[in-house]
Amino acid sequence: QVQLVESGGGLAQPGGSLRLSCAASGRIFSINTMGWYRQAPGKQRELVATITSRGNTNYVDSVKGRFTISRDNAKNTVSLQLNSLKPEDTAVYYCNADIYASGTSFKNYWGQGTQVTVSS
């Protein structure tokens, strides 16, 4: 059974940094696009950043220049470096991935979410 497990959330001051990590486990044959989404209270879940298996990245405009997504294909992990944090970055951050696992076609998976709070 495929699982995505996030870690690294927490509390940061405005201007501070955090690093989120997500590890995919299970009988995984291949992973296509991996990404991070976030959902703030009272708002819809939104795309933050994605990265393809070839390393092509995409960011929502509000985080460009501040957040960096990366992945380790050998370890089936994806990370998000959050710099120059702002209070409006406060949200639950979710890992997402398109995974081809044993006996299945590509399916989309979500992690359980990790809280990021930016406050002084």
Side-chain angles (χ1 to χ4, degrees), residues 86-98:
K86 304 176 181 180
E88 51 264 43
D89 295 319
T90 295
V92 177
Y93 284 69
Y94 296 90
C95 177
N96 180 270
D98 291 324

Side-chain angles (χ1 to χ4, degrees), residues 6-25:
E6 301 112 332
S7 60
L11 174 65
Q13 293 187 341
S17 298
L18 286 172
R19 184 174 180 85
L20 308 182
S21 295
C22 173
S25 63

